[in-house]
Amino acid sequence: MKPIFSASLALLLILNSNLSLTQTAGGVKPAHSPDIEHSIDSIIAGLTLQEKIGQLVQYSGGWSTGPTGRRINDEKRTLIKEGKTGSLLNVIGSSVTHELQKIAVEESRAKIPLLFGLDVIHGFKTTFPIPLAEAATWDAEAVELSARVSAAEAASSGIHWTFAPMVDIARDPRWGRIAEGSGEDTYLGSVMAAARVRGFQGRNLSDPTAIMACAKHYAAYGGAEGGRDYNTVDISEQTLRDVYLPPFKAALDAGAGTFMASFNEINGVPSSGSHFLLTTILRDEWGFDGFVVSDWNSIGELIPHGYAGTPARAAELAINAGLDMDMESRCYRDNLESLVTQGKVRAATLDSAVRRILRMKFRLGLFADPYRACTPEREAKTLRSAANIEAARNVARKAIVLLKNEHSLLPLSKNVKTIAVIGPLANNHRDPVGTWAGPTDTNNVVTLLDGVRAAVPASRVLFAPGCAIDGTDTAGISAAVGVARQADVILLAAGESEDMSGEARSRSSLELPGRQADLVQAVHATGKPVVLVLMNGRPLALSREAANLPAILETWFLGHETGHAIADVLFGSYAPSGRLPASFPRVTGQVPIYYNHKNTGRPADDSVHFTSRYLDVPSTPLYPFGFGLTYTSFAYADLAIASPRVKATDSVSVRITLKNTGSRGGEEVVQLYVRDEVGSLTRPVRELKAYRRVRLEPGQTTSVTLSIPATDLAFTGVDMRRRVEPGMFTVYVGPNAGEGLVGRFEVFE
Ligand code: BGC
């Protein structure tokens, strides 16, 4: 058979590498190109059935980093040469990707370039804060920058495609993967999803610094019962459409090239076999023209789910549902040929899957330059450049949320004589990188201790770990108390280890693990001022700490620049500006507790017995969604609605006056929530619809206007149509989901 990738075709492809682009509200969405489709027609016409199947098969390269590191095995090289794989994951580095790509484009018959994928979740060699922390910035530009830097680094190392952003809504913090997403809210989650896609994909996928995004895990993976990973999801279609799907749609509108099917089932159908999700919604309703990859072995897992009896049936269900690429299950590799021959999978279905994958390879410019200008020189210049490290520090400090600051203990004076830095996370290089940190070097972590020493070189800085993150050993606590007694102020770094959140890392308790609560108690008992510096991958239940300690700083896992970013905030060179992307419960037993719940027929009233509440704990969270303090204070006044009656096609415009009532400059995140008072289906008590970050100097007053199109008030009705229902709405404008000025407006038809 003659090679199908001819010189004239190659020329056409090079001309096509500069795709025409459509600017969308959320980002840059590549337009459908007839030229690319023609090129794909020619390629598909020349492929054997085996080669077509090969394009749909993805293998792991086993974290191969090339000649000097781990090497990919020879079996995989042969598969590439024989055209039996179209994509590899977990192969890292310009030299090894170059070497394998060369086999694909020079030694395989079809000469179709490979697609290299990797979980670039929050940084590559420069580690940024975990995604949950980045969502706490409430700053789309910062989040886009983080993804842009990560993309440029990964692309220089031969990566074309990241399995990110993770856009799963998580209402239950026991679920460890809450760390990988943007928290509990659909609106904030959608803003962050779009920002990440824009950052990864840049202005044009064929730009060699861009990597293709993958919106995952489609869908409702975060709805796992009990917060236990991979668990069953049973939700109404309205909840699916109104709560869980919008961030995916936002990612798609921003141009995301791929989606990943999730592990879970929804209402009895596992996502990887769901025609409804992968075709009806994604392709038919939303018009997605990229491809869908399975999660790791999620096609094979249709069997334990009890949805398929054999690997062949699993492959048949998945491909007919619209799942294009099989990550690691081998179900496609081993069964598609016979399924096509038997007519259980139509040849046209297979061709469509191949087409979608080739389309994205074209858009990435892989046919024009399969190496995407990767060289070891470019790689060395890009990875951990000074600019990237500075970006990581900037994003990290924006992610910090000040939860408590009694008597303005913070910011600390830079003239403090003696500071005790205590706790198992105080001088810890491993954990601050957080989950899914990829090919990071934890030696590059600036610990809290390092950061404090660098910020206040003239102070005496003492250190004691006190206890481990987990375990029962209390032997180090008395030494820590001894150190605390010598200090003017204590910085106590407590929280979780990096491997307590992330995949398959659900916890049944959200309290501080191990003996850390004892350490906190003992240090607090010295009577010295204590700042609790939390490092963790999820909301924690901190009732005891919040009742006792004067200051609490939530720093999540901030990545390489941890210590510098925290010191910037502690000593006031940066005023904290983060806000919680998820509610913090008082005790674990309150979860799931999320702000946009329904009201019930007996709304919680802690003074009335027969209401929807617990006997032993107030019904409110300890810290609500959207909460965060700074070093000044703000007053909200004069809520005014431009027009108290609006048409369903108009906008609602709400104005307030905001005053900085403190003695320092600072940023407020003004949040607008609405409640649809009466609906044909019951509506949440509040839903975030807009927010604006405002900076004010001491004493300064400004008016802040937030406008939303009335169409944003739409929800999915009993007939599965989204519409705005006429009627009265309450609007709240305030600093978090638990407070705010109140107004009302009416929507009419
Ligand atoms: C995870 C995905 C990830 C994939 C590849 C799976 O276990 O669920 O999020 O992208 O592995 O590493």
Side-chain angles (χ1 to χ4, degrees):
M1 229 183 268
K2 70 179 172 55
I4 56 157
F5 188 50
S6 67
S8 57
L9 183 56
L11 182 65
L12 173 68
L13 305 180
I14 288 166
L15 294 175
N16 277 334
S17 74
N18 280 327
L19 301 165
S20 59
L21 303 166
T22 329
Q23 184 77 45
T24 66
V28 178
K29 198 171 172 181
H32 212 72
S33 150
D35 291 342
I36 287 183
E37 301 307 311
H38 286 145
S39 307
I40 297 173
D41 289 341
S42 319
I43 296 177
I44 290 181
L47 292 179
T48 64
L49 181 54
Q50 276 293 347
E51 284 165 341
K52 288 180 187 175
I53 295 166
Q55 287 303 304
L56 314 190
V57 173
Q58 184 189 51
Y59 291 105
S60 171
W63 294 97
S64 173
T65 50
T68 51
R70 270 205 214 172
R71 264 178 70 79
I72 195 164
N73 62 30
D74 288 339
E75 185 205 334
K76 300 267 162 62
R77 282 168 209 275
T78 310
L79 291 170
I80 299 171
K81 201 165 161 177
E82 292 174 347
K84 290 186 176 156
T85 176
S87 176
L88 293 170
L89 75 151
N90 301 342
V91 177
I92 303 158
S94 64
S95 75
V96 64
T97 50
H98 193 284
E99 181 196 341
L100 300 177
Q101 191 67 293
K102 201 162 185 299
I103 301 178
V105 299
E106 291 184 10
E107 296 179 42
S108 79
R109 194 193 68 88
K111 307 208 179 322
I112 299 175
L114 288 168
L115 189 57
F116 291 105
L118 185 77
D119 291 274
V120 181
I121 307 296
H122 54 108
F124 184 70
K125 291 287 183 181
T126 307
T127 304
F128 283 76
I130 57 167
L132 185 66
E134 290 194 345
T137 65
W138 289 54
D139 183 335
E141 272 175 37
V143 172
E144 183 175 337
L145 172 71
S146 157
R148 188 83 286 278
V149 168
S150 311
E153 287 199 352
S156 80
S157 261
I159 305 303
H160 309 143
W161 177 26
T162 175
F163 306 121
M166 194 208 65
V167 304
D168 298 313
I169 296 299
R171 291 174 153 185
D172 189 331
R174 289 172 296 181
W175 190 51
R177 299 198 85 168
I178 192 173
E180 291 177 57
S182 296
E184 76 186 32
D185 184 56
T186 303
Y187 177 78
L188 183 66
S190 301
V191 169
M192 294 300 155
R196 290 202 166 97
V197 171
R198 288 196 301 270
F200 287 132
Q201 298 197 162
R203 282 208 47 78
N204 184 342
L205 261 189
S206 68
D207 175 330
T209 70
I211 59 176
M212 183 162 66
C214 180
K216 76 182 186 186
H217 306 81
Y218 186 68
Y221 182 36
E225 277 178 7
R228 217 179 66 230
D229 208 1
Y230 316 120
N231 205 8
T232 307
V233 176
D234 204 324
I235 52 175
S236 70
E237 189 177 329
Q238 281 87 3
T239 301
L240 174 70
R241 286 181 180 273
D242 292 346
V243 176
Y244 290 95
L245 291 188
F248 287 96
K249 180 64 164 51
L252 186 153
D253 289 342
T258 63
F259 272 51
M260 181 185 287
S262 57
F263 285 125
N264 56 287
E265 68 157 77
I266 305 174
N267 306 340
V269 181
S271 303
S272 295
S274 172
H275 187 271
F276 173 65
L277 276 182
L278 303 180
T279 298
T280 309
I281 294 184
L282 188 57
R283 269 81 182 226
D284 300 347
E285 288 182 25
W286 293 355
F288 178 61
D289 75 350
F291 72 87
V292 179
V293 63
S294 75
D295 204 342
W296 184 288
N297 190 39
S298 67
I299 301 178
E301 290 172 18
L302 295 181
I303 299 170
H305 268 296
Y307 195 64
T310 61
R313 178 69 181 150
E316 180 189 340
L317 285 165
I319 193 147
N320 287 335
L323 205 164
D324 305 301
M325 186 180 280
D326 177 359
M327 181 193 282
E328 273 289 335
S329 88
R330 318 288 203 259
C331 290
Y332 280 9
R333 180 191 76 176
D334 296 341
N335 300 290
L336 279 183
E337 191 173 348
S338 60
L339 288 168
V340 171
T341 320
Q342 292 163 34
K344 290 186 174 164
V345 172
R346 288 170 46 234
T349 303
L350 186 77
D351 285 358
S352 296
V354 176
R355 172 176 299 277
R356 295 182 193 122
I357 291 165
L358 293 181
R359 186 179 289 144
M360 300 323 295
K361 290 186 176 181
F362 271 106
R363 289 186 184 163
L364 278 162
L366 281 170
F367 284 97
D369 173 10
Y371 307 104
R372 300 185 90 230
C374 274
T375 58
E377 296 70 43
R378 174 179 152 207
E379 190 177 18
K381 231 171 87 186
T382 309
L383 301 181
R384 280 191 58 80
S385 70
N388 293 359
I389 294 168
E390 197 191 317
R393 179 170 179 166
N394 274 329
V395 177
R397 57 193 203 169
K398 289 184 172 186
I400 296 172
V401 185
L402 180 61
L403 294 177
K404 187 172 177 192
N405 193 21
E406 230 169 50
H407 311 305
S408 298
L409 175 57
L410 295 177
L412 300 173
S413 153
K414 287 198 169 180
N415 301 323
V416 185
K417 276 217 185 84
T418 307
I419 303 173
V421 183
I422 290 177
L425 285 144
N427 194 29
N428 177 318
H429 284 268
R430 190 179 63 114
D431 295 299
V433 296
T435 186
W436 271 126
T440 193
D441 183 347
T442 53
N443 290 320
N444 290 321
V445 168
V446 178
T447 68
L448 175 62
L449 183 63
D450 298 336
V452 169
R453 286 199 166 129
V456 283
S459 302
R460 190 169 152 241
V461 181
L462 309 172
F463 164 66
C467 63
I469 294 173
D470 212 354
T472 52
D473 192 354
T474 50
I477 293 185
S478 61
V481 167
V483 165
R485 286 213 176 93
Q486 301 171 50
D488 301 306
V489 65
I490 294 142
L491 306 176
L492 208 169
E496 299 181 310
S497 58
E498 62 81 21
D499 59 3
M500 287 179 179
S501 56
E503 187 177 352
R505 286 151 183 178
S506 296
R507 290 180 66 210
S508 68
S509 157
L510 301 175
E511 278 72 27
L512 284 175
R515 303 314 288 261
Q516 293 183 87
D518 298 344
L519 174 67
V520 172
Q521 248 348 85
V523 170
H524 170 60
T526 61
K528 303 275 178 160
V530 179
V531 181
L532 179 63
V533 177
L534 292 164
M535 299 186 193
N536 44 279
R538 58 159 61 77
L540 296 177
L542 300 162
S543 288
R544 195 156 98 162
E545 292 72 23
N548 294 332
L549 302 179
I552 305 180
L553 209 54
E554 175 55 77
T555 76
W556 319 101
F557 292 126
L558 293 177
H560 281 167
E561 290 298 291
T562 291
H564 288 323
I566 300 175
D568 286 345
V569 168
L570 287 172
F571 297 101
S573 24
Y574 184 83
S577 62
R579 299 292 183 268
L580 294 180
S583 313
F584 273 42
R586 295 171 189 274
V587 294
T588 308
Q590 280 183 306
V591 304
I593 182 169
Y594 48 91
Y595 83 93
N596 48 357
H597 58 85
K598 301 287 188 74
N599 205 35
T600 83
R602 294 189 179 189
D605 178 340
D606 292 330
S607 62
V608 181
H609 185 73
F610 289 102
T611 63
S612 180
R613 66 192 184 101
Y614 297 105
L615 289 178
D616 50 354
V617 66
S619 34
T620 50
L622 182 61
Y623 298 114
F625 173 82
F627 181 81
L629 304 170
T630 185
Y631 294 152
T632 187
S633 50
F634 295 95
Y636 286 69
D638 312 328
L639 182 139
I641 301 174
S643 159
R645 289 193 80 229
V646 292
K647 271 218 204 95
T649 46
D650 286 350
S651 284
V652 185
S653 197
V654 186
R655 198 185 66 231
I656 56 122
T657 306
L658 185 72
K659 180 170 187 194
N660 180 340
T661 50
S663 52
R664 289 172 167 267
E667 283 181 24
E668 175 67 335
V669 180
V670 177
Q671 302 163 33
L672 182 149
Y673 298 85
V674 291
R675 174 170 182 183
D676 187 344
E677 294 179 7
V678 179
S680 59
L681 291 173
T682 59
R683 308 297 306 133
V685 295
R686 273 188 187 213
E687 289 179 289
L688 181 68
K689 293 292 173 188
Y691 65 87
R692 164 101 42 87
R693 185 173 282 285
V694 183
R695 185 177 167 88
L696 291 180
E697 296 313 317
Q700 202 186 346
T701 300
T702 191
S703 95
V704 182
T705 302
L706 290 163
S707 292
I708 54 161
T711 46
D712 283 6
L713 305 170
F715 66 93
T716 305
V718 270
D719 57 358
M720 295 308 148
R721 292 242 173 91
R722 267 182 82 77
R723 68 167 72 83
V724 186
E725 285 186 352
M728 293 306 298
F729 289 77
T730 311
V731 60
Y732 307 86
V733 179
N736 60 64
E739 296 176 59
L741 302 174
V742 186
R744 290 178 85 207
F745 61 90
E746 185 181 356
V747 174
F748 65 96
E749 268 172 318

